[in-house]
Amino acid sequence: MTIQELSDKFSIQELVANISIYGDNKDFKNQVRLFTKNGISETISDGNVILKLEGRNVMEEAFNKFLKDYKKIYHLNGQQTITLNGNKASGTCYCLITLVDTENVKTTIGAIYTDEYVKINNEWLVDKRIGNFKWEEKE
């Protein structure tokens, strides 16, 4: 593996981490800037597409609306694979998501994110993200 490939993989890992960190802080304005201008975010639950968003403005509005009733949000990223192909890449990241609402109900979600990345002006961005919510538990 070349130094450039290592650098690209590290940059993509940092991109994925920053998406989670911005989400945890409800900083959706900066979070959606990590997607391409017409990026896609799709959510699947029980094998069904429950949400498909295209474009930064649409994503920001939807994320704000969906997460407004949660006082705590926490993403813990785990296993991650990245496959580079020039200025494009693909990856998979396992994530444990914890949401605590205003009534102190805790929802934990096991998700697998499948991403497509693109390098624009020497910066890696998400072009498409599919979040497959594999299980959910409420306490």
Side-chain angles (χ1 to χ4, degrees):
M1 188 172 305
T2 68
I3 297 290
Q4 184 59 53
E5 290 170 328
L6 287 170
S7 176
D8 285 337
K9 284 191 174 198
F10 178 77
S11 294
I12 292 169
Q13 287 175 327
E14 189 171 43
L15 168 69
V16 170
N18 283 330
I19 287 172
S20 292
I21 290 166
Y22 284 132
D24 291 347
N25 291 303
K26 293 189 175 186
D27 185 354
F28 306 120
K29 184 175 205 68
N30 282 312
Q31 184 185 43
V32 300
R33 287 187 178 140
L34 301 177
F35 286 78
T36 58
K37 184 178 178 183
N38 296 312
I40 295 171
S41 175
E42 187 174 306
T43 304
I44 298 171
S45 182
D46 293 324
N48 300 308
V49 175
I50 59 170
L51 186 64
K52 186 171 183 178
L53 309 168
E54 185 171 344
R56 291 174 176 161
N57 293 337
V58 171
M59 281 188 237
E60 183 180 355
E61 183 179 317
F63 295 164
N64 265 311
K65 184 177 180 182
F66 176 74
L67 294 167
K68 70 178 174 48
D69 293 329
Y70 293 99
K71 63 182 184 178
K72 304 252 188 230
I73 304 166
Y74 187 79
H75 291 77
L76 180 63
N77 295 322
Q79 307 89 292
Q80 183 179 20
T81 60
I82 299 167
T83 303
L84 299 170
N85 186 13
N87 284 339
K88 293 189 176 193
S90 59
T92 300
C93 179
Y94 283 63
C95 185
L96 188 63
I97 305 164
T98 303
L99 307 167
V100 180
D101 68 19
T102 55
E103 304 294 319
N104 284 325
V105 174
K106 180 172 88 170
T107 302
T108 306
I109 300 167
I112 301 172
Y113 289 106
T114 305
D115 296 331
E116 294 175 16
Y117 312 104
V118 63
K119 194 175 191 181
I120 300 172
N121 297 325
N122 212 31
E123 179 184 14
W124 285 101
L125 300 170
V126 174
D127 195 39
K128 183 174 184 182
R129 169 166 266 208
I130 299 172
N132 193 339
F133 291 10
K134 296 301 223 176
W135 58 269
E136 181 177 313
E137 181 179 276
K138 289 190 184 276
E139 290 180 38

